[in-house]
Amino acid sequence: MNWELIFGQLQWTSFVFAGAILDPSLSEFIASGAGSIAVLGAVAVVILLTVKRWWVPLWRDWLTSVDHKKVGIMYMVLALVMFARAVIEAALMRAQQLVAYDSAGFLSADHFGQLFSTHGTIMIFFVAMPFITGLMNYVMPLQIGARDVSFPLLNAISLMLTVAGAILIMISLVVGQFSTGGWTAYPPFTGIEFSPGEGVDYWIWAVSLGSIGSTLTGLNFAVTIYKKRCPGMTLFRMPLFCWTTLCTSILMIFAMAPLTAVTVMLALDRYAGFHFFTNGDGGNMMNYANLFWLFGHPEVYILILPAFGVWSEVVATFSAKRIYGYTSLVYATMCIAVLSFAVWLHHFFTMGQSANVNAIFGIATMVIGVPTGVKVYDWLLTMVGGRIRFSTSMLFLINFLLTFILGGLTGVLLANPGVDFQVHNTLFLVAHFHNMIIPGVLFGMFAAVQFWFPKAFGFRLHEGLGRASFWCFAPGFLLAFFPLYWLGMMGATRRTYMWSDPEYLPWLALAMAGAGLILAGFAFMVTQIVVSVRQRDRLACPLGDPWDGRALEWSIPAPAPEWNFAVLPDVTSRDAFYEAKQSGQAYRSPAAYEDIEVPRNTATAPLIGLFACAWAFGLVWHIWWLVAVSFVLMWAVVIVRSFNMNTVEIIPAARVKAQNEAFLAAARAAPGVPREQEMTSDNRGKALPEALTARAGAVPAGRAVEVLS
Amino acid sequence: MSVSERLHPGVNLGATDPESHEAAEEVVFGFWIFLMSDLVLFAVLFATYAAMSVQGIAGGPAPAEVFDLTAAFVETLLLLLSSFAFGFAMLAMKYRENARSVLAWLLATGVLGAAFVGMELHDYYVMITAHGAPPQASGFLSAYYLLTGTHALHVSSGLVWMVIMAVQIAVFGLNTAVKLRLMRLALFWHMLDVVWIGIFTFVYLFGVVS
């Protein structure tokens, strides 16, 4: 019996627990502990679902759903789960670097290498990407007045491919090792000669699945924005979040393909002995760097642009003022999107090309600071003269403005090739990109969760705990990463697992303290969600407009009904809902209702995800029968689905009418809350229009309002 | 907007089947975007080939030594003729709504496409056995096989898609969904022509000349 035919390269020693038995050391115990947490976590979820009898609802209402709102929420859940893992890995790395002064610390070099590789890969592909994709999924169709995205099933397939990639990375905790090549996986180190194991293959297939999912998402959202806007919603009436979604989608369409190509080439090198990136035989690893960053730099803007959209919505809403310089923000977004394709070379100034090439890319990089600067001024000027409420989202915004500018300045420093040669590959760089991504993207997504959570679930998040998490996250970030700038200037290289320079110690200790604060912030955030769910009656805002919102998504109930809009809105201006409230046109009954067509639930997407995951697992372990079978099954699902011509169902007009009229009647009857009571239980989701508040003379304009609950 | 103002590139159904034309707007636009993304993939492969066909030869066989221009020319004719046949299939679908003639033209397209893939596989076979030029021999050959292989894989999946569409025509007749799928398959098929013209010019002609 040839076991290799059945199990490929999988052996019992591949399981992480075998390491702890064969080589008992702290490093191996930590690896086994992480593996156990993954296994126990999965078991706990299975038990919970069984005990609560949630299997059927989970399958029927969520996994098989193609509703953009549910797909969006599932993306966000995925992002939070993966964030939990990657942030703990970050804390472990900080701890290792702290104790590894003149000693080996408690992690082996290989284990440390796996940690920084999974941390980076997860944070980019399975935290940041699902976060922004989930948010765009939930918010964008509501903001343009659409009932769904253009291709709902394709949307669900994107989600399930991303989930398949994430599951593959989780499996790597238990079965085998992950790559030690960092999130960029540069060859020749990641070639078969120097990384013969399964680790790089895990990276390749997890990233490829995520990459294909994102390509499809970009396509889907771009078509949605071009073709599905409601009547009157011209491009220049769209909320800014839709503009940033459009630019991000376009970037995804163009930038994900090079990543797919480069992972396939690396796979061919490793599996079939090709010579794309090998040493010798005509291979050229710098081509990898080019292709990877041809994806990688636009990727940075794929992540930050939706966050810029969030900031634009947050600052306008919580300043109770129209966004300053709408048109300039649109053009700035477009400029950034275009320029993002012209700077990729700054990731490898040290490659050895001529100084003139470096100079051109250095200048192009600095030029990106201009449209970004325009945005910062626009946000600042939006606040000027506004009636600012310091809600959690707004605190994140102010923190973003302060810290992001510092990160941008260090970016301009790095854009100078001369400086870059000095700090290349040091912790200075690590500090810089964390300085952009954490206050910009991650906190942007946290602010977005605080902001749109009530729309998705019908109740607000607990404000006090939100602020507590902010006051841990914001200083935690500063403590964790500003010392790294200093360390980088002192010459500390990145991805190093032990030290011998005593001068590093105090800075590493500060960074460790920062990591602790970030973990505390995350704990507060989880607590906030749990407490808010428990107190959901007190925090409920079923009338859908808790923040005196401006765009169309606030004009419908919370949580949003399956069909989004009972009747497609007709828009005549920017900030359509806000204008309607001001002129007393909001909450009017439509003249007539029609039947609504919605796509039926289908098992297609989760099945594709399942077989894609099995396919990738088979490839990682060279289990060829599994590769063949799951590949055939994956496409069989697609083909079978294509023979199903009965994919939509009709919601009768009477049902839509009953539900919508009940909502409108409740909204009209509700008194509405002024902004200073926004965070109290009086806020049921109907805002008192500001014009009326001002007339009542409750709060003079220009005064900041304290809103702590 | 009137129907005529909402034309998209390629065969439009506005004059003969306004209902399908309406439905086509979104899906065909989406498919154009998909093709654009797919072309970026090919662009990356072309760029890689451009670098590696010069710098990646590594003492192995050079382009001029391994390419058979006659075979590549015949392949070009086969693929262009297949696109031509697909054009007739689309016209039959649009004006005659005749499932039988659509199927006949699709069969012609499929046979020509299959002949193309068969010839290309034969090319590979000759290169590997007679010229000692497998993809593992050098960076240049790795890039060559990836570029042409990705194209061949696209053509092959187009053939599978064609078979499925033939079955769907037989099962459902030419309903809106089937028509829209045929329109997208046609775009896909023509795009592969465009890519092949690039390959024929840039890889084969240019390679043999230099």
Side-chain angles (χ1 to χ4, degrees):
Chain A
M1 184 79 202
N2 186 354
W3 291 108
E4 205 173 316
L5 273 180
I6 301 175
F7 294 113
Q9 297 182 347
L10 202 56
Q11 289 166 343
W12 79 271
T13 45
S14 306
F15 288 87
V16 69
F17 311 108
I21 298 164
L22 296 176
D23 167 31
S25 65
L26 188 52
S27 186
E28 286 293 345
F29 287 139
I30 289 173
S32 293
S36 315
I37 290 172
V39 172
L40 291 176
V43 171
V45 169
V46 168
I47 291 174
L48 183 75
L49 290 174
T50 312
V51 170
K52 294 266 192 184
R53 294 170 191 278
W54 280 346
W55 281 107
V56 173
L58 177 72
W59 178 257
R60 190 189 53 208
D61 299 338
W62 291 90
L63 296 180
T64 58
S65 173
V66 294
D67 181 340
H68 73 96
K69 299 182 288 297
K70 287 182 174 166
V71 170
I73 291 169
M74 285 189 275
Y75 264 117
M76 301 288 255
V77 171
L78 173 71
L80 277 178
V81 171
M82 299 307 282
F83 179 74
R85 171 175 167 189
V87 80
I88 290 170
E89 288 176 340
L92 265 179
M93 286 189 282
R94 285 268 67 88
Q96 161 73 14
Q97 291 199 329
L98 183 63
V99 301
Y101 164 63
D102 246 359
S103 78
F106 58 93
L107 294 177
S108 69
D110 246 23
H111 195 173
F112 189 78
Q114 288 184 52
L115 281 178
F116 67 66
S117 304
T118 46
H119 169 79
T121 308
I122 291 175
M123 280 298 193
I124 295 290
F125 293 104
F126 300 107
V127 176
M129 289 297 265
F131 242 136
I132 60 143
T133 312
L135 189 68
M136 296 191 298
N137 248 304
Y138 196 92
V139 175
M140 181 271 288
L142 293 179
Q143 286 196 330
I144 61 169
R147 294 228 164 91
D148 208 322
V149 292
S150 283
F151 309 110
L153 175 59
L154 191 68
N155 197 21
I157 292 173
S158 301
L159 165 71
M160 290 304 170
L161 289 177
T162 312
V163 170
I167 289 177
L168 196 66
I169 286 210
M170 293 312 278
I171 289 176
S172 80
L173 265 185
V174 184
V175 190
Q177 315 272 316
F178 197 76
S179 166
T180 52
W183 83 278
T184 53
Y186 272 11
F189 177 72
T190 49
I192 197 74
E193 196 183 341
F194 302 108
S195 297
E198 67 284 353
V200 181
D201 301 327
Y202 267 123
W203 180 87
I204 288 175
W205 301 116
V207 166
S208 300
L209 288 174
S211 161
I212 294 167
S214 297
T215 313
L216 300 177
T217 297
L219 184 168
N220 207 341
F221 288 2
V223 177
T224 305
I225 291 180
Y226 282 121
K227 297 290 184 189
K228 277 200 118 61
R229 280 167 288 132
C230 68
M233 181 65 81
T234 58
L235 284 173
F236 272 84
R237 284 182 189 157
M238 293 198 304
L240 280 161
F241 181 75
C242 295
W243 270 107
T244 57
T245 300
L246 177 61
C247 290
T248 283
S249 307
I250 294 172
L251 290 183
M252 282 175 168
I253 293 163
F254 285 99
M256 302 314 289
L259 178 65
T260 311
V262 86
T263 51
V264 167
M265 288 181 203
L266 187 60
L268 285 171
D269 271 10
R270 291 177 58 83
Y271 283 81
F274 281 43
H275 291 290
F276 288 106
F277 312 123
T278 52
N279 286 337
D281 291 316
N284 181 354
M285 72 78 53
M286 287 325 295
N287 190 34
Y288 181 95
N290 262 297
L291 294 178
F292 183 85
W293 289 111
L294 205 52
F295 143 78
H297 199 85
E299 165 73 11
V300 176
Y301 294 93
I302 288 174
L303 297 180
I304 196 71
L305 287 179
F308 284 172
V310 171
W311 298 128
S312 302
E313 304 293 316
V314 164
V315 72
T317 305
F318 288 106
S319 302
K321 217 181 131 205
R322 194 169 47 182
I323 189 87
Y324 182 92
Y326 174 95
T327 319
S328 67
L329 280 165
V330 170
Y331 283 115
T333 308
M334 278 293 178
C335 281
I336 292 173
V338 172
L339 283 173
S340 73
F341 281 102
V343 299
W344 80 92
L345 202 126
H346 70 212
H347 293 273
F348 43 94
F349 277 145
T350 54
M351 177 166 90
Q353 64 276 28
S354 78
N356 287 343
V357 172
N358 278 356
I360 288 167
F361 279 89
I363 291 165
T365 306
M366 293 179 202
V367 167
I368 290 197
V370 177
T372 316
V374 168
K375 283 179 168 252
V376 170
Y377 282 113
D378 280 337
W379 291 318
L380 286 173
L381 289 167
T382 303
M383 289 197 277
V384 172
R387 224 151 56 89
I388 298 172
R389 287 117 64 198
F390 292 106
S391 63
T392 307
S393 309
M394 196 65 179
L395 291 178
F396 274 119
L397 169 90
I398 293 165
N399 174 67
F400 157 76
L401 287 174
L402 295 173
T403 44
F404 194 77
I405 291 170
L406 293 174
L409 287 177
T410 58
V412 174
L413 282 178
L414 282 165
N416 183 332
V419 176
D420 184 80
F421 266 68
Q422 293 302 313
V423 290
H424 184 83
N425 211 28
T426 67
L427 288 176
F428 189 88
L429 174 76
V430 175
H432 163 71
F433 67 71
H434 282 90
N435 196 347
M436 305 313 272
I437 290 182
I438 293 176
V441 181
L442 191 66
F443 290 176
M445 293 303 115
F446 291 170
V449 169
Q450 306 288 327
F451 189 57
W452 277 296
F453 187 94
K455 178 50 61 185
F457 295 101
F459 55 95
R460 287 178 289 115
L461 285 170
H462 191 280
E463 180 67 10
L465 285 167
R467 287 165 166 242
S469 78
F470 168 80
W471 285 112
C472 292
F473 272 129
F477 158 75
L478 290 178
L479 266 179
F481 291 98
F482 275 61
L484 300 197
Y485 279 124
W486 195 246
L487 281 166
M489 304 274 264
M490 288 156 67
T493 49
R494 66 192 290 204
R495 295 174 175 168
T496 307
Y497 92 112
M498 56 190 284
W499 310 91
S500 56
D501 188 341
E503 283 187 36
Y504 292 177
L505 265 177
W507 304 102
L508 287 170
L510 277 179
M512 181 72 233
L517 266 179
I518 290 176
L519 282 182
F522 185 54
F524 271 122
M525 206 170 134
V526 174
T527 318
Q528 183 199 26
I529 294 173
V530 173
V531 168
S532 308
V533 171
R534 292 226 170 121
Q535 302 183 353
R536 58 186 176 278
D537 293 333
R538 207 169 70 77
L539 296 164
C541 51
L543 301 178
D545 180 26
W547 316 125
D548 196 11
R550 312 182 74 82
L552 288 176
E553 78 267 32
W554 304 109
S555 67
I556 56 174
E562 189 185 353
W563 49 79
N564 292 357
F565 298 93
V567 172
L568 286 185
D570 199 340
V571 171
T572 52
S573 68
R574 275 177 213 154
D575 291 342
F577 181 55
Y578 192 79
E579 296 300 328
K581 282 186 288 185
Q582 293 294 323
S583 59
Q585 311 273 320
Y587 306 116
R588 289 203 172 164
S589 294
Y593 290 87
E594 285 176 4
D595 290 348
I596 295 175
E597 212 175 62
V598 293
R600 265 181 218 284
N601 286 9
T602 164
T604 309
L607 286 178
I608 289 176
L610 178 70
F611 296 134
C613 192
W615 175 73
F617 185 78
L619 281 168
V620 169
W621 291 101
H622 299 226
I623 309 172
W624 302 119
W625 66 265
L626 183 63
V627 174
V629 168
S630 48
F631 185 81
V632 169
L633 283 175
M634 190 160 43
W635 285 101
V637 170
V638 176
I639 293 167
V640 168
R641 162 76 185 187
S642 76
F643 279 86
N644 180 1
M645 291 286 168
N646 180 20
T647 57
V648 291
E649 58 188 334
I650 306 290
I651 299 174
R655 201 180 125 210
V656 179
K657 180 175 179 180
Q659 199 170 321
N660 194 48
E661 287 299 331
F663 158 70
L664 290 175
R668 284 190 291 255
V673 290
R675 287 307 93 202
E676 52 270 33
Q677 286 161 31
E678 183 168 60
M679 297 303 175
T680 66
S681 55
D682 290 344
N683 188 355
R684 309 308 281 179
K686 181 174 177 198
L688 190 62
E690 209 193 342
L692 300 181
T693 327
R695 220 173 295 147
V699 178
R703 206 182 92 193
V705 180
E706 186 59 31
V707 286
L708 191 65
S709 59
Chain B
M1 259 187 280
S2 72
V3 165
S4 61
E5 284 167 13
R6 314 181 79 161
L7 294 178
H8 50 77
V11 171
N12 279 261
L13 300 176
T16 55
D17 183 356
E19 200 181 309
S20 298
H21 182 67
E22 185 105 348
E25 183 177 343
E26 206 168 334
V27 293
V28 172
F29 179 63
F31 201 74
W32 274 103
I33 292 188
F34 164 75
L35 293 181
M36 205 156 70
S37 188
D38 210 21
L39 281 175
V40 174
L41 183 74
F42 277 109
V44 167
L45 299 184
F46 269 110
T48 301
Y49 178 82
M52 296 215 131
S53 61
V54 181
Q55 293 159 356
I57 292 174
E65 297 163 29
V66 290
F67 292 156
D68 178 358
L69 262 194
T70 320
F73 180 67
V74 175
E75 283 157 18
T76 309
L77 286 183
L78 285 174
L79 200 60
L80 293 185
L81 280 175
S82 80
S83 249
F84 194 62
F86 209 140
F88 277 104
M90 294 304 288
L91 293 178
M93 181 193 93
K94 179 176 176 180
Y95 291 107
R96 295 169 54 189
E97 301 243 353
N98 180 343
R100 197 174 285 261
S101 63
V102 174
L103 281 174
W105 281 115
L106 275 188
L107 180 69
T109 313
V111 169
L112 289 163
F116 168 86
V117 175
M119 270 198 80
E120 215 177 358
L121 289 178
H122 180 257
D123 278 2
Y124 289 164
Y125 177 76
V126 171
M127 279 178 73
I128 292 169
T129 51
H131 297 291
Q136 290 84 359
S138 69
F140 148 62
L141 286 163
S142 297
Y144 165 80
Y145 280 96
L146 181 63
L147 174 58
T148 55
T150 307
H151 180 265
L153 206 60
H154 273 72
V155 176
S156 309
S157 28
L159 290 173
V160 175
W161 188 357
M162 225 172 270
V163 172
I164 295 164
M165 286 322 297
V167 176
Q168 294 205 339
I169 293 171
V171 174
F172 300 113
L174 290 170
N175 67 16
T176 298
V178 171
K179 278 184 182 176
L180 294 189
R181 286 171 192 168
L182 282 172
M183 284 163 77
R184 281 173 279 176
L185 176 55
L187 289 178
F188 183 71
W189 202 254
H190 299 319
M191 182 212 61
L192 293 178
D193 269 14
V194 174
V195 174
W196 179 259
I197 297 293
I199 291 177
F200 181 63
T201 315
F202 188 68
V203 175
Y204 289 100
L205 291 180
F206 201 71
V208 170
V209 168
S210 55

